[in-house]
Amino acid sequence: MSPIRVGKHMLKNRIIAAPVTLHSASNGENYPTEAAMNFFVQRAKAGAGLVVCAGVKVLPVGDDGEHVNWNLYKHNAMHRLAELAERIHFYGAKASMELIGIFEDGYVASEGGLLMDGVTPGREIPVSEMMRYKEGYAHSAEMLMKLGYDGILLHFGHGIPIAQFLSPLTNKRTDQYGGSFENRVRYIIEILKAIRERVGDNMIIEIRMSADEFKEGGIDIAEGIKIAEALQQYADIIQASCGMITPDLMCRTHPCDFLPPNPNVYLAEAFKKSGKITSYVTAIGGIGSLADADEIIASGKADFVAICRALIADPELITKSIAGKEDDVVPCIKCMRCHDSTVYGHLLQCSVNPTIGIMHHLDSMIIPPQEKKKVAVIGGGPAGMYAALTASKRGHQVTLYEKTGSLGGTLKFATKVNFKYSLAKFRDYLISQVEKSPVEVKLNTCVSPDELKNLGYDAVIVAIGAEPLVPPIPGIEHSIFATNTYGNEDILGNNVIIIGGGQVGCETALHLARLGKTVTILEMRDEMAPDASRTHRGDLLAEMNKEKNLIQITSAKCISINPDGIVYEKNNEKFTLSADNVILAAGMKPRTSEADAFAGISDIYRLAGDCVRARTVEAAVREGYFAGINV
């Protein structure tokens, strides 16, 4: 939390709030909406020293009906951009803006390079267009400086079209901008020089680059250090990111739980310890706690730490940690729901922060409680715990009934899976919050509607979850539910078949394959895990494809199960598979009738989580919050 001077700017601490491009907070406006402004201002209010916003294009690209496009070429679009910088300054933070510079018209660095989707080939950008974009960068930086911004972040990483100039893997040009190392860095240096000539030393210039692309023939750490050394003459800060935006590398670029905590920090450390980088260095990549950030900086691995998802999960991460309340920080589960909901969806959402997409309206939406109520919450999973905590914080007397001997619900399995360690941490967080709250918990209590009727409850919130769906397959009694395999892996044989290739089936298959079992997964649809969010699905499939003992069969239907295996049908042919165990992951069905039995006991009756419809932890948390906040 120590201050640091960067050029003419004194930053109050070493925490950088990394940018989020809020596509879902735009309705075609060419300026930041209140939803977007509130999001970035919240980063400043949270205590970050430097807040990086996102949404400006380096040229006045027309509205494509999908992406956010703040316009620095239109006079009356700049008013809100200036206001955004000033609102960030209000909290003592410095304001910066990310410039991505995505080429239009399908341009990439050289023929065959991939567009931003990481899949579609583009066409080589001509030099005349390169010069136009260079001027766009310089113009944008100058205008942002005039609007009150203290810095810019130039995105030259992750294999995006402009970053492709730097990599020997993606730059196949034959002119002065391709071939040798000097040629490959030439265009980026020209852009940086043009910017510095416009803004002087009045703005902090930070570069994001891939210190390692993790692709054969691409940028490795030695090449990354060499690139950083060449670019630092015009850069105050160099951010050591990594990877590419291809589906198989998203988990490296945006670390998930398939990797250990803080997996990319070593890249920043390599920059620092090379002896060749004199600019400040930023570490980034799933850093989730102030304690980790402090250790990274104190040990000399980096000068700054950039945090993004952890500040979405809990905007009070910094203030809680400084106050010695680290246990009260809501842990990010690194599910990438925030990324997917703002890039591919229509409302920014977070699995563990139910207010994130509507926070700018909460003051007008939340009705203060008029009286203290007696509240019963049925079910101790994430929906029930969140509902109980929320209602209790509003001053109500809450009793939480859980039929088993412990809280956690469906999250209990997370403690058994090595790639669910953040989800397990969230489960532990919810339980600890309940234990510290005034909520009365009754474990091993399967309370019935009749028992509640005479207890005088003013509100009943039901969160009793879902149960495994049992398809009408002959011999189904010879199968085991996927939910029952966690913690019982040792009693399974070495050869197992999983019926159902949704997210649950795929994650179960990966878990068992990593334990050394031979796993065959059977899915009726044409692809695996179609129900998973887009980014997590890509990460999951990439991990599954690494396991040689995990066999995937799609477009196949199980027609019978026997004690020794299954019979399935594919392309109108029947096949027999032998196995020690058959595991059923055919989905979950809500306990609707059981939940509805509690209706009418009190004036206020709410449902939350999987008993409404079997979904994800995100839906459980959000509905639990909605139920509790409206009591």
Side-chain angles (χ1 to χ4, degrees):
M1 299 305 295
S2 59
I4 184 171
R5 178 167 291 280
V6 184
K8 291 184 176 180
H9 299 277
M10 177 63 78
L11 277 62
K12 65 179 182 179
N13 59 48
R14 316 294 183 96
I15 302 299
I16 298 176
V20 178
T21 306
L22 295 171
H23 298 310
S24 62
S26 171
N27 303 294
E29 300 90 346
N30 48 23
Y31 52 82
T33 62
E34 181 57 32
M37 294 192 37
N38 183 278
F39 177 87
F40 292 115
V41 172
Q42 190 186 66
R43 311 276 84 84
K45 188 176 181 180
L50 179 65
V51 177
V52 186
C53 309
V56 166
K57 299 292 191 298
V58 300
L59 290 175
V61 181
D63 177 22
D64 63 3
E66 180 178 356
H67 299 96
V68 63
N69 181 23
W70 301 341
N71 197 337
L72 281 169
Y73 290 76
K74 192 172 182 180
H75 183 81
N76 62 3
M78 300 182 199
H79 307 327
R80 293 278 279 177
L81 286 163
E83 180 187 340
L84 174 55
E86 194 68 357
R87 286 169 66 173
I88 289 171
H89 291 151
F90 179 86
Y91 293 102
K94 298 296 182 179
S96 182
M97 182 70 72
E98 179 184 27
L99 297 179
I100 299 180
I102 302 170
F103 301 139
E104 56 190 326
D105 295 329
Y107 287 136
V108 291
S110 64
E111 203 68 28
L114 301 179
L115 300 179
M116 284 295 292
D117 62 7
V119 176
T120 307
R123 58 196 182 102
E124 182 171 299
I125 184 171
V127 173
S128 59
E129 285 294 283
M130 290 167 57
M131 297 304 106
R132 191 167 70 93
Y133 275 94
K134 181 174 74 173
E135 169 57 27
Y137 270 104
H139 173 272
S140 297
E142 183 179 21
M143 295 308 298
L144 287 166
M145 178 181 67
K146 291 179 178 179
L147 293 174
Y149 286 84
D150 310 290
I152 53 173
L153 169 64
L154 300 164
H155 192 331
F156 295 147
H158 305 166
I160 70 172
I162 195 164
Q164 292 167 16
F165 278 93
L166 297 173
S167 175
L169 178 66
T170 54
N171 187 343
K172 305 300 182 184
R173 298 179 72 98
T174 57
D175 60 7
Q176 70 270 34
Y177 295 103
S180 68
F181 175 84
E182 290 72 22
N183 284 357
R184 284 188 278 110
V185 299
R186 187 188 306 277
Y187 182 48
I188 302 302
I189 289 177
E190 287 182 1
I191 290 173
L192 290 168
K193 184 178 180 181
I195 292 172
R196 191 59 88 182
E197 286 174 351
R198 296 284 187 95
V199 304
D201 59 356
N202 296 306
M203 293 191 87
I204 298 168
I205 296 180
E206 182 178 14
I207 295 170
R208 172 186 294 156
M209 60 168 287
S210 287
D212 193 331
E213 289 183 321
F214 303 114
K215 284 281 190 180
E216 186 177 352
I219 297 170
D220 58 17
I221 188 62
E223 182 83 354
I225 291 170
K226 191 176 178 183
I227 292 170
E229 185 181 12
L231 303 184
Q232 68 179 348
Q233 60 182 311
Y234 298 109
D236 300 293
I237 308 172
I238 298 178
Q239 184 185 110
S241 189
C242 64
M244 305 178 84
I245 55 172
T246 54
D248 60 320
L249 285 173
M250 282 292 282
C251 191
R252 287 306 312 234
T253 301
H254 308 283
C256 60
D257 273 10
F258 292 124
L259 297 171
N262 306 325
N264 297 338
V265 172
Y266 79 96
L267 298 167
E269 183 180 13
F271 275 22
K272 287 288 293 178
K273 293 183 177 179
S274 69
K276 298 179 179 180
I277 312 301
T278 56
S279 294
Y280 291 125
V281 175
T282 300
I284 189 170
I287 300 167
S289 74
L290 203 63
D292 285 351
D294 195 55
E295 187 280 328
I296 290 165
I297 294 170
S299 62
K301 296 172 184 173
D303 303 292
F304 291 93
V305 168
I307 300 177
C308 180
R309 287 174 285 172
L311 284 173
I312 295 174
D314 193 339
E316 297 181 69
L317 180 153
I318 297 172
T319 53
K320 286 179 181 177
S321 300
I322 292 173
K325 298 180 179 179
E326 294 92 344
D327 292 343
D328 293 334
V329 174
V330 184
C332 170
I333 63 173
K334 294 184 281 188
C335 62
M336 290 298 287
R337 186 70 181 97
C338 51
H339 173 273
D340 289 354
S341 63
T342 190
V343 175
Y344 309 119
H346 300 285
L347 175 67
L348 175 61
Q349 295 180 314
C350 171
S351 290
V352 297
N353 180 353
T355 70
I356 194 64
I358 55 173
M359 57 191 177
H360 52 296
H361 293 307
L362 285 181
D363 288 344
S364 61
M365 291 172 65
I366 296 175
I367 301 172
Q370 301 301 310
E371 60 184 10
K372 183 176 181 178
K373 294 184 174 68
K374 188 176 179 181
V375 182
V377 177
I378 319 300
M385 287 190 285
Y386 219 100
L389 286 168
T390 305
S392 178
K393 287 176 183 176
R394 284 171 63 79
H396 300 307
Q397 179 186 340
V398 181
T399 302
L400 174 61
Y401 295 92
E402 167 56 38
K403 67 179 181 180
T404 71
S406 61
L407 298 175
T410 54
L411 298 188
K412 293 177 184 179
F413 86 98
T415 61
K416 313 295 183 183
V417 186
N418 63 4
F419 55 85
K420 291 290 183 180
Y421 61 87
S422 292
L423 187 60
K425 187 176 180 181
F426 179 60
R427 184 210 69 152
D428 294 343
Y429 159 81
L430 287 177
I431 293 172
S432 70
Q433 293 299 301
V434 171
E435 290 173 345
K436 289 192 286 187
S437 77
V439 173
E440 181 183 7
V441 178
K442 292 183 177 292
L443 299 175
N444 297 307
T445 306
C446 188
V447 66
S448 69
D450 288 339
E451 291 174 295
L452 284 188
K453 285 179 180 177
N454 300 317
L455 296 178
Y457 284 106
D458 303 300
V460 174
I461 300 172
V462 181
I464 57 174
E467 59 189 4
L469 186 65
V470 183
I473 301 174
I476 196 72
E477 66 274 10
H478 299 300
S479 65
I480 306 167
F481 293 130
T483 51
N484 293 336
T485 62
Y486 295 98
N488 297 308
E489 295 88 347
D490 290 345
I491 66 174
L492 298 176
N494 290 323
N495 184 14
V496 299
I497 295 171
I498 296 178
I499 307 300
Q503 181 173 333
V504 171
C506 287
E507 290 183 347
T508 303
L510 179 61
H511 170 58
L512 295 177
R514 286 186 167 184
L515 292 177
K517 299 184 187 300
T518 298
V519 182
T520 301
I521 183 168
L522 198 74
E523 168 57 38
M524 290 178 59
R525 291 165 289 190
D526 295 334
E527 57 185 14
M528 293 289 177
D531 55 331
S533 64
R534 184 165 174 173
T535 302
H536 178 65
R537 179 177 181 270
D539 295 340
L540 177 58
L541 294 182
E543 293 299 313
M544 290 172 64
N545 291 335
K546 294 177 185 177
E547 299 296 329
K548 292 182 172 57
N549 56 328
L550 201 166
I551 302 159
Q552 304 173 43
I553 302 174
T554 56
S555 304
K557 180 181 179 181
C558 179
I559 57 177
S560 69
I561 301 173
N562 57 66
D564 301 316
I566 68 168
V567 178
Y568 71 92
E569 188 175 68
K570 181 179 173 70
N571 298 328
N572 296 319
E573 290 188 60
K574 292 183 179 179
F575 302 88
T576 300
L577 275 179
S578 298
D580 298 313
N581 303 99
V582 177
I583 298 170
L584 191 64
M588 305 288 285
K589 64 176 182 179
R591 293 188 169 100
T592 305
S593 59
E594 294 175 48
D596 289 351
F598 289 91
I601 291 174
S602 60
D603 291 337
I604 301 173
Y605 168 66
R606 308 276 186 194
L607 297 175
D610 284 356
C611 67
V612 177
R613 183 164 53 88
R615 287 152 298 160
T616 61
V617 65
E618 174 196 351
V621 166
R622 186 167 287 248
E623 289 174 359
Y625 172 75
F626 288 172
I629 203 69
N630 284 296
V631 173

